Amino acid sequence: MVLEKVKMILSSQFDVEEDSITPETNIADDLGADSLMVMQIIADVEECFGITFDDVDLLSENFSNTGSFCEMIARQVREG
């Protein structure tokens, strides 16, 4: 469920097909995200999932690919 929602957000942000996004998709290298785009993606994810990321969490996490980003989101949702 998390992956499907993230794929929807990323496909909208980067105008790519959802099916082209996999857990291995690198958000910067494959999709061309810069730091401003990453901040928009994070804002969209926070709104979609009703969560808020702490700046320290964002700095300490490695979410360069879609799979690791989904894992970070799932942890945040569980911790509520």
Coordinates of all heavy atoms in Angstrom, one line a residue:
M1 N 0.8 -1.2 0.0 CA 0.0 0.0 0.0 C 0.9 1.3 0.0 O 0.6 2.2 -0.7 CB -0.9 0.0 1.2 CG -1.9 1.1 1.3 SD -3.2 0.8 2.4 CE -3.3 2.4 3.2
V2 N 1.9 1.3 0.8 CA 2.8 2.4 0.9 C 3.4 2.6 -0.5 O 3.5 3.8 -1.0 CB 3.9 2.3 2.0 CG1 4.9 3.4 1.9 CG2 3.2 2.3 3.3
L3 N 4.0 1.6 -1.1 CA 4.6 1.7 -2.4 C 3.7 2.2 -3.4 O 4.1 3.1 -4.2 CB 5.2 0.3 -2.8 CG 5.9 0.3 -4.2 CD1 7.1 1.3 -4.2 CD2 6.4 -1.1 -4.5
E4 N 2.5 1.8 -3.5 CA 1.5 2.2 -4.5 C 1.2 3.7 -4.3 O 1.2 4.4 -5.3 CB 0.2 1.4 -4.4 CG 0.4 -0.1 -4.7 CD 1.1 -0.3 -6.1 OE1 0.7 0.4 -7.0 OE2 2.0 -1.1 -6.1
K5 N 1.1 4.2 -3.1 CA 0.8 5.6 -2.9 C 2.1 6.4 -3.3 O 2.0 7.5 -3.9 CB 0.4 5.9 -1.5 CG -1.0 5.4 -1.2 CD -1.4 5.8 0.3 CE -2.8 5.4 0.6 NZ -3.2 5.7 1.9
V6 N 3.2 5.9 -2.9 CA 4.5 6.7 -3.3 C 4.7 6.7 -4.8 O 5.1 7.7 -5.4 CB 5.7 6.0 -2.6 CG1 7.0 6.6 -3.1 CG2 5.6 6.3 -1.1
K7 N 4.4 5.6 -5.4 CA 4.5 5.5 -6.9 C 3.5 6.6 -7.5 O 3.9 7.2 -8.5 CB 4.2 4.1 -7.4 CG 5.3 3.1 -7.2 CD 4.9 1.7 -7.5 CE 4.6 1.5 -8.9 NZ 4.4 0.0 -9.2
M8 N 2.3 6.7 -7.0 CA 1.4 7.7 -7.5 C 1.9 9.1 -7.3 O 1.9 9.9 -8.3 CB 0.1 7.5 -6.7 CG -1.0 8.5 -7.2 SD -2.5 8.3 -6.2 CE -2.0 9.0 -4.7
I9 N 2.5 9.4 -6.2 CA 3.1 10.7 -5.9 C 4.2 11.0 -6.8 O 4.3 12.1 -7.5 CB 3.5 10.9 -4.4 CG1 2.2 10.9 -3.5 CG2 4.3 12.1 -4.2 CD1 2.5 10.7 -2.1
L10 N 5.1 10.0 -6.9 CA 6.3 10.2 -7.8 C 5.9 10.3 -9.3 O 6.5 11.2 -10.0 CB 7.3 9.1 -7.6 CG 8.0 9.0 -6.2 CD1 8.9 7.8 -6.1 CD2 8.8 10.3 -5.9
S11 N 5.0 9.5 -9.7 CA 4.6 9.6 -11.1 C 4.0 10.9 -11.5 O 4.2 11.5 -12.5 CB 3.7 8.4 -11.5 OG 2.4 8.6 -10.9
S12 N 3.2 11.5 -10.5 CA 2.6 12.8 -10.7 C 3.7 13.9 -10.7 O 3.7 14.8 -11.6 CB 1.6 13.1 -9.6 OG 1.1 14.4 -9.7
Q13 N 4.6 13.8 -9.8 CA 5.7 14.8 -9.7 C 6.6 14.9 -10.9 O 7.0 15.9 -11.3 CB 6.5 14.6 -8.4 CG 7.6 15.5 -8.2 CD 7.2 16.8 -7.5 OE1 6.1 16.9 -6.9 NE2 8.0 17.8 -7.6
F14 N 6.9 13.7 -11.4 CA 7.9 13.6 -12.5 C 7.3 13.2 -13.8 O 8.1 13.0 -14.8 CB 9.0 12.6 -12.1 CG 9.8 13.0 -10.9 CD1 9.5 12.4 -9.7 CD2 10.7 13.9 -11.0 CE1 10.2 12.9 -8.5 CE2 11.4 14.4 -9.9 CZ 11.2 13.8 -8.7
D15 N 6.0 13.1 -13.9 CA 5.3 12.8 -15.2 C 5.8 11.6 -15.8 O 6.2 11.6 -17.0 CB 5.4 14.0 -16.1 CG 4.4 13.9 -17.3 OD1 3.3 13.3 -17.1 OD2 4.7 14.4 -18.4
V16 N 5.9 10.5 -15.1 CA 6.3 9.2 -15.6 C 5.2 8.2 -15.2 O 4.4 8.4 -14.3 CB 7.6 8.7 -15.0 CG1 8.8 9.6 -15.3 CG2 7.6 8.6 -13.5
E17 N 5.2 7.1 -15.9 CA 4.2 6.0 -15.6 C 4.5 5.4 -14.2 O 5.7 5.1 -13.9 CB 4.3 4.9 -16.7 CG 3.8 5.4 -18.1 CD 2.4 5.8 -18.1 OE1 1.6 5.0 -17.5 OE2 2.0 6.7 -18.8
E18 N 3.5 5.1 -13.5 CA 3.6 4.4 -12.2 C 4.4 3.1 -12.3 O 5.2 2.7 -11.5 CB 2.3 4.2 -11.5 CG 1.7 5.5 -10.9 CD 0.4 5.2 -10.2 OE1 0.3 4.2 -9.5 OE2 -0.5 6.1 -10.3
D19 N 4.1 2.4 -13.4 CA 4.7 1.1 -13.6 C 6.2 1.1 -13.8 O 6.9 0.1 -13.6 CB 4.0 0.3 -14.8 CG 2.6 -0.1 -14.5 OD1 2.2 -0.1 -13.3 OD2 1.8 -0.3 -15.5
S20 N 6.7 2.3 -14.2 CA 8.1 2.4 -14.4 C 8.9 2.6 -13.1 O 10.1 2.6 -13.1 CB 8.4 3.6 -15.4 OG 8.1 4.8 -14.7
I21 N 8.2 2.9 -12.0 CA 8.8 3.1 -10.7 C 8.8 1.8 -9.9 O 7.7 1.2 -9.7 CB 8.0 4.2 -9.9 CG1 8.1 5.5 -10.7 CG2 8.6 4.4 -8.5 CD1 7.1 6.6 -10.2
T22 N 10.0 1.4 -9.5 CA 10.1 0.1 -8.7 C 10.8 0.5 -7.4 O 11.3 1.6 -7.2 CB 11.0 -0.9 -9.5 OG1 12.4 -0.3 -9.5 CG2 10.5 -1.1 -10.9
P23 N 10.9 -0.5 -6.5 CA 11.6 -0.2 -5.2 C 13.1 0.2 -5.4 O 13.7 0.9 -4.6 CB 11.5 -1.5 -4.4 CG 10.2 -2.1 -4.9 CD 10.2 -1.8 -6.4
E24 N 13.6 -0.2 -6.6 CA 15.0 0.1 -6.9 C 15.2 1.5 -7.6 O 16.3 1.9 -7.8 CB 15.6 -1.0 -7.7 CG 15.8 -2.3 -7.0 CD 14.5 -3.1 -7.0 OE1 13.6 -2.9 -7.9 OE2 14.3 -3.8 -6.0
T25 N 14.1 2.1 -7.9 CA 14.2 3.4 -8.6 C 14.9 4.4 -7.7 O 14.5 4.7 -6.6 CB 12.8 3.9 -9.0 OG1 12.2 3.0 -9.9 CG2 12.9 5.3 -9.7
N26 N 16.0 5.0 -8.3 CA 16.7 6.0 -7.5 C 16.0 7.4 -7.8 O 15.9 7.8 -8.9 CB 18.2 6.1 -8.0 CG 19.0 7.0 -7.1 OD1 18.8 8.2 -7.2 ND2 19.9 6.5 -6.3
I27 N 15.6 8.0 -6.7 CA 14.8 9.2 -6.8 C 15.6 10.4 -7.5 O 15.0 11.1 -8.3 CB 14.3 9.7 -5.5 CG1 13.3 8.6 -4.9 CG2 13.6 11.0 -5.5 CD1 12.9 8.7 -3.5
A28 N 16.9 10.5 -7.2 CA 17.7 11.6 -7.8 C 18.2 11.1 -9.2 O 18.0 11.8 -10.2 CB 18.8 11.9 -6.9
D29 N 18.8 10.0 -9.3 CA 19.4 9.6 -10.5 C 18.4 9.2 -11.6 O 18.6 9.6 -12.8 CB 20.4 8.4 -10.3 CG 21.6 8.8 -9.4 OD1 21.9 10.1 -9.3 OD2 22.2 7.9 -8.9
D30 N 17.5 8.4 -11.3 CA 16.5 7.9 -12.3 C 15.4 8.9 -12.6 O 14.9 8.9 -13.7 CB 15.9 6.5 -11.8 CG 16.9 5.4 -11.7 OD1 18.0 5.5 -12.4 OD2 16.7 4.5 -10.8
L31 N 15.0 9.6 -11.6 CA 13.8 10.5 -11.8 C 14.3 12.0 -11.9 O 13.5 12.8 -12.4 CB 12.8 10.4 -10.6 CG 12.2 9.0 -10.5 CD1 11.3 9.0 -9.2 CD2 11.4 8.6 -11.7
G32 N 15.5 12.3 -11.5 CA 16.1 13.6 -11.7 C 15.6 14.6 -10.6 O 15.6 15.8 -10.9
A33 N 15.3 14.1 -9.4 CA 14.9 15.0 -8.4 C 16.1 15.8 -7.8 O 17.2 15.3 -7.6 CB 14.3 14.2 -7.2
D34 N 15.8 17.1 -7.6 CA 16.8 17.9 -7.0 C 16.3 18.2 -5.5 O 15.2 17.6 -5.2 CB 17.0 19.3 -7.7 CG 15.7 20.1 -7.9 OD1 14.8 19.9 -7.1 OD2 15.7 20.9 -8.8
S35 N 17.0 18.9 -4.7 CA 16.6 19.1 -3.3 C 15.2 19.7 -3.1 O 14.5 19.3 -2.2 CB 17.7 19.8 -2.6 OG 17.9 21.1 -3.1
L36 N 14.9 20.6 -4.0 CA 13.6 21.3 -3.9 C 12.5 20.3 -4.2 O 11.4 20.2 -3.5 CB 13.5 22.5 -4.9 CG 12.2 23.3 -4.8 CD1 12.0 23.9 -3.4 CD2 12.3 24.4 -5.9
M37 N 12.7 19.5 -5.2 CA 11.7 18.4 -5.6 C 11.5 17.4 -4.4 O 10.4 17.0 -4.1 CB 12.1 17.7 -6.8 CG 12.0 18.5 -8.1 SD 12.6 17.6 -9.5 CE 12.0 18.5 -10.8
V38 N 12.7 17.1 -3.8 CA 12.6 16.1 -2.7 C 11.8 16.7 -1.5 O 10.9 16.0 -0.9 CB 14.0 15.7 -2.2 CG1 14.0 15.0 -0.9 CG2 14.7 14.9 -3.3
M39 N 11.9 18.0 -1.3 CA 11.1 18.6 -0.2 C 9.6 18.6 -0.6 O 8.8 18.4 0.3 CB 11.6 20.0 0.0 CG 13.0 20.1 0.6 SD 13.3 19.0 2.0 CE 12.2 19.7 3.2
Q40 N 9.3 18.8 -1.8 CA 7.9 18.7 -2.3 C 7.4 17.3 -2.1 O 6.2 17.1 -1.7 CB 7.8 19.2 -3.7 CG 6.3 19.2 -4.2 CD 5.4 20.1 -3.4 OE1 5.7 21.3 -3.1 NE2 4.3 19.6 -2.9
I41 N 8.2 16.3 -2.5 CA 7.8 14.9 -2.4 C 7.5 14.6 -0.9 O 6.5 14.0 -0.6 CB 8.8 14.0 -2.9 CG1 8.9 14.1 -4.5 CG2 8.6 12.5 -2.5 CD1 10.2 13.6 -5.1
I42 N 8.4 15.1 0.0 CA 8.2 14.8 1.4 C 6.9 15.5 1.9 O 6.1 14.9 2.7 CB 9.4 15.3 2.2 CG1 10.6 14.4 1.9 CG2 9.2 15.4 3.7 CD1 11.9 14.9 2.4
A43 N 6.7 16.7 1.5 CA 5.4 17.4 1.9 C 4.2 16.6 1.4 O 3.2 16.5 2.1 CB 5.4 18.8 1.3
D44 N 4.2 16.2 0.1 CA 3.1 15.4 -0.4 C 2.9 14.1 0.4 O 1.8 13.7 0.6 CB 3.4 15.1 -1.9 CG 3.3 16.3 -2.8 OD1 2.8 17.4 -2.3 OD2 3.7 16.2 -4.0
V45 N 4.0 13.4 0.7 CA 3.9 12.2 1.5 C 3.3 12.4 2.8 O 2.5 11.7 3.3 CB 5.3 11.5 1.5 CG1 5.3 10.4 2.6 CG2 5.7 10.9 0.2
E46 N 3.8 13.5 3.5 CA 3.3 13.8 4.8 C 1.8 14.0 4.8 O 1.0 13.5 5.6 CB 4.0 15.0 5.4 CG 5.4 14.8 5.8 CD 6.1 16.0 6.3 OE1 5.8 17.1 5.9 OE2 7.0 15.8 7.2
E47 N 1.3 14.7 3.8 CA -0.1 15.0 3.6 C -0.9 13.7 3.3 O -1.9 13.5 3.9 CB -0.3 16.0 2.5 CG -1.8 16.4 2.3 CD -2.0 17.5 1.3 OE1 -1.1 18.3 1.1 OE2 -3.0 17.4 0.6
C48 N -0.4 12.9 2.4 CA -1.0 11.7 2.0 C -1.2 10.7 3.1 O -2.2 10.1 3.3 CB -0.3 11.1 0.8 SG -0.9 9.5 0.2
F49 N -0.1 10.6 3.9 CA -0.1 9.6 5.0 C -0.5 10.1 6.4 O -0.6 9.4 7.3 CB 1.2 8.9 5.1 CG 1.5 8.0 3.9 CD1 2.2 8.4 2.8 CD2 1.0 6.6 3.9 CE1 2.4 7.6 1.7 CE2 1.3 5.8 2.9 CZ 2.0 6.3 1.8
G50 N -0.7 11.5 6.5 CA -1.0 12.1 7.7 C 0.1 12.0 8.8 O -0.1 11.7 9.9
I51 N 1.4 12.1 8.3 CA 2.5 12.0 9.2 C 3.4 13.2 9.0 O 3.1 14.1 8.2 CB 3.4 10.7 8.8 CG1 3.8 10.8 7.3 CG2 2.6 9.5 9.1 CD1 4.8 9.7 6.9
T52 N 4.3 13.4 10.0 CA 5.3 14.5 9.9 C 6.6 13.9 10.2 O 6.8 13.2 11.2 CB 4.9 15.5 11.0 OG1 3.6 16.0 10.8 CG2 5.9 16.7 10.9
F53 N 7.5 14.2 9.3 CA 8.9 13.8 9.5 C 9.7 14.8 10.3 O 9.5 16.0 10.1 CB 9.6 13.6 8.2 CG 9.1 12.4 7.4 CD1 8.4 12.6 6.2 CD2 9.4 11.1 7.8 CE1 8.0 11.6 5.5 CE2 8.9 10.1 7.1 CZ 8.2 10.3 5.9
D54 N 10.5 14.4 11.2 CA 11.4 15.3 12.0 C 12.6 15.5 11.1 O 13.1 14.6 10.4 CB 11.8 14.5 13.3 CG 12.6 15.4 14.2 OD1 13.8 15.6 13.8 OD2 12.1 15.8 15.2
D55 N 13.1 16.7 11.1 CA 14.3 17.1 10.3 C 15.5 16.2 10.6 O 16.2 15.8 9.7 CB 14.7 18.5 10.5 CG 13.7 19.5 9.9 OD1 12.9 19.1 9.0 OD2 13.7 20.7 10.3
V56 N 15.6 15.8 11.9 CA 16.7 14.9 12.3 C 16.6 13.5 11.6 O 17.5 13.0 11.1 CB 16.8 14.8 13.8 CG1 17.9 13.7 14.2 CG2 17.2 16.1 14.4
D57 N 15.3 13.1 11.6 CA 15.0 11.8 10.9 C 15.4 11.8 9.5 O 16.0 10.9 8.9 CB 13.6 11.4 11.1 CG 13.2 11.0 12.5 OD1 14.1 10.7 13.3 OD2 12.0 11.1 12.9
L58 N 15.0 12.9 8.8 CA 15.3 13.0 7.4 C 16.7 13.1 7.1 O 17.2 12.5 6.1 CB 14.6 14.3 6.8 CG 13.1 14.3 6.8 CD1 12.6 15.7 6.3 CD2 12.6 13.2 5.8
L59 N 17.5 13.7 7.9 CA 19.0 13.8 7.7 C 19.7 12.5 8.0 O 20.7 12.2 7.4 CB 19.6 14.9 8.6 CG 19.2 16.3 8.2 CD1 19.7 17.3 9.3 CD2 19.7 16.7 6.8
S60 N 19.1 11.7 8.9 CA 19.8 10.4 9.3 C 19.3 9.3 8.4 O 20.0 8.2 8.4 CB 19.5 10.1 10.7 OG 18.1 9.8 10.9
E61 N 18.3 9.4 7.6 CA 17.8 8.3 6.8 C 18.4 8.4 5.4 O 18.7 9.4 4.9 CB 16.3 8.4 6.6 CG 15.5 8.1 7.9 CD 15.5 6.7 8.3 OE1 15.7 5.8 7.4 OE2 15.2 6.4 9.4
N62 N 18.6 7.2 4.8 CA 19.0 7.1 3.4 C 17.8 6.7 2.6 O 17.4 5.5 2.7 CB 20.2 6.1 3.3 CG 20.6 5.9 1.8 OD1 20.2 6.7 1.0 ND2 21.3 4.9 1.6
F63 N 17.2 7.6 1.9 CA 16.1 7.2 1.1 C 16.3 7.6 -0.3 O 15.4 8.2 -1.0 CB 14.8 7.8 1.7 CG 14.7 9.3 1.8 CD1 14.3 10.1 0.8 CD2 15.2 9.9 2.9 CE1 14.2 11.5 0.9 CE2 15.1 11.3 3.1 CZ 14.6 12.1 2.0
S64 N 17.4 7.2 -0.8 CA 17.7 7.6 -2.2 C 16.9 6.8 -3.2 O 16.6 7.3 -4.3 CB 19.2 7.4 -2.5 OG 19.6 6.0 -2.3
N65 N 16.5 5.6 -2.8 CA 15.6 4.8 -3.7 C 14.2 4.7 -3.1 O 14.0 4.9 -2.0 CB 16.2 3.5 -4.1 CG 16.3 2.5 -2.9 OD1 15.4 2.4 -2.2 ND2 17.4 1.8 -2.8
T66 N 13.3 4.3 -4.0 CA 11.9 4.3 -3.6 C 11.6 3.3 -2.5 O 10.9 3.5 -1.6 CB 11.0 3.9 -4.9 OG1 11.3 4.8 -5.9 CG2 9.6 4.0 -4.6
G67 N 12.3 2.1 -2.5 CA 12.1 1.1 -1.5 C 12.5 1.6 -0.1 O 11.8 1.4 0.8
S68 N 13.7 2.2 0.0 CA 14.1 2.7 1.3 C 13.2 3.9 1.8 O 12.9 4.0 3.0 CB 15.6 3.1 1.3 OG 15.8 4.1 0.4
F69 N 12.7 4.7 0.8 CA 11.8 5.8 1.2 C 10.5 5.2 1.7 O 10.0 5.7 2.7 CB 11.6 6.6 -0.1 CG 10.8 7.9 0.2 CD1 11.0 8.7 1.3 CD2 9.8 8.3 -0.7 CE1 10.3 9.9 1.5 CE2 9.1 9.5 -0.5 CZ 9.4 10.3 0.6
C70 N 10.0 4.1 1.1 CA 8.8 3.5 1.6 C 9.0 2.9 2.9 O 8.0 2.9 3.8 CB 8.3 2.4 0.6 SG 7.6 3.1 -1.0
E71 N 10.1 2.3 3.2 CA 10.4 1.7 4.5 C 10.4 2.8 5.6 O 9.9 2.7 6.7 CB 11.8 1.0 4.5 CG 11.8 -0.3 3.8 CD 13.2 -0.8 3.6 OE1 14.1 -0.4 4.3 OE2 13.3 -1.7 2.7
M72 N 11.0 4.0 5.3 CA 11.0 5.1 6.2 C 9.5 5.6 6.5 O 9.2 5.9 7.6 CB 11.8 6.3 5.6 CG 12.0 7.4 6.5 SD 13.0 8.7 5.9 CE 11.9 9.6 4.8
I73 N 8.7 5.7 5.4 CA 7.3 6.1 5.6 C 6.6 5.1 6.5 O 5.9 5.5 7.4 CB 6.7 6.2 4.2 CG1 7.3 7.4 3.4 CG2 5.1 6.4 4.4 CD1 6.9 7.4 1.9
A74 N 6.7 3.8 6.2 CA 6.0 2.8 6.9 C 6.4 2.8 8.4 O 5.5 2.7 9.3 CB 6.4 1.4 6.4
R75 N 7.7 3.0 8.7 CA 8.1 3.2 10.1 C 7.4 4.4 10.8 O 7.0 4.3 11.9 CB 9.6 3.4 10.2 CG 10.4 2.1 10.3 CD 11.8 2.3 10.8 NE 12.6 3.3 10.1 CZ 13.2 3.1 8.9 NH1 13.2 2.0 8.3 NH2 13.8 4.1 8.3
Q76 N 7.4 5.5 10.1 CA 6.7 6.7 10.6 C 5.2 6.5 10.8 O 4.7 6.9 11.9 CB 7.0 7.9 9.7 CG 6.5 9.2 10.2 CD 7.3 9.7 11.4 OE1 8.4 9.3 11.5 NE2 6.7 10.5 12.2
V77 N 4.6 5.8 9.9 CA 3.2 5.5 10.1 C 2.9 4.6 11.3 O 2.0 4.8 12.1 CB 2.6 4.8 8.8 CG1 1.2 4.2 9.0 CG2 2.6 5.8 7.7
R78 N 3.8 3.6 11.5 CA 3.7 2.7 12.6 C 3.9 3.4 13.9 O 3.2 3.1 14.9 CB 4.7 1.5 12.5 CG 4.3 0.4 11.6 CD 5.2 -0.8 11.7 NE 6.6 -0.5 11.6 CZ 7.3 -0.6 10.5 NH1 6.7 -0.9 9.4 NH2 8.6 -0.3 10.5
E79 N 4.9 4.3 14.0 CA 5.2 5.0 15.2 C 4.2 6.1 15.5 O 4.1 6.5 16.6 CB 6.6 5.6 15.1 CG 7.7 4.6 15.0 CD 9.1 5.1 14.7 OE1 9.2 6.4 14.6 OE2 10.0 4.3 14.6
G80 N 3.4 6.5 14.4 CA 2.3 7.4 14.6 C 2.7 8.7 15.2 O 2.1 9.5 15.7

